[in-house]
Amino acid sequence: MPLQMITDRPIASSLLSVIVAVAVSAEDIQSPRLNQLAAELDNGDRGAIETFWNEMAAKTTPLIEPLEADPNRVLLTVLWRGDASTQNVLLVGGLAAGHPLDNTLTQLRDTDVWYRTIVTGSDLRATYQFSPNDPM
């Protein structure tokens, strides 16, 4: 019996929520723009979140930033604007690879910003989708 309870979907979903909700330090964020946002939040600027989303709406997403070490590669960051009900966001499609847990977006601090940064070729063309609150 205990083995069945360990593999039960509700338990797995709650474990996933714990895994995804782990705080991310600035050193773990690859995107320079997200690092800037994290620094603004660390300085108490909560208005930086709305400024960020307005900027992303004007530029469209995904966020693409140069990779200084290699001009043929870029940092591609997919973004999801969550809300109070968002527990996880799964990346699905051409950018996703491997196990679903390897394709979850990370929540930036306690904000509505969910992201995943991928280092890829600057000539990548792909389609992708999001699956928010995915039971995996």
Side-chain angles (χ1 to χ4, degrees), residues 21-112:
V22 171
V24 177
S25 67
E27 300 82 44
D28 295 332
I29 301 171
Q30 292 178 286
S31 163
R33 182 60 185 97
L34 286 180
N35 266 316
Q36 177 187 343
L37 177 58
E40 292 166 342
L41 293 170
D42 289 345
N43 289 326
D45 183 3
R46 297 298 293 181
I49 299 166
E50 197 59 37
T51 300
F52 172 79
W53 283 121
N54 289 337
E55 179 186 328
M56 293 304 105
K59 289 183 176 182
T60 71
T61 59
L63 173 61
I64 299 173
E65 300 167 291
L67 186 62
E68 292 182 22
D70 185 348
N72 296 317
R73 298 175 69 74
V74 295
L75 294 169
L76 183 145
T77 302
V78 295
L79 298 162
W80 175 265
R81 189 168 194 173
D83 59 27
S85 70
T86 306
Q87 297 297 309
N88 67 62
V89 182
L90 181 64
L91 178 64
V92 182
L95 299 176
H99 191 277
L101 285 177
D102 296 332
N103 295 295
T104 56
L105 276 63
T106 301
Q107 184 178 19
L108 182 65
R109 310 279 196 280
D110 61 343
T111 70
D112 61 357

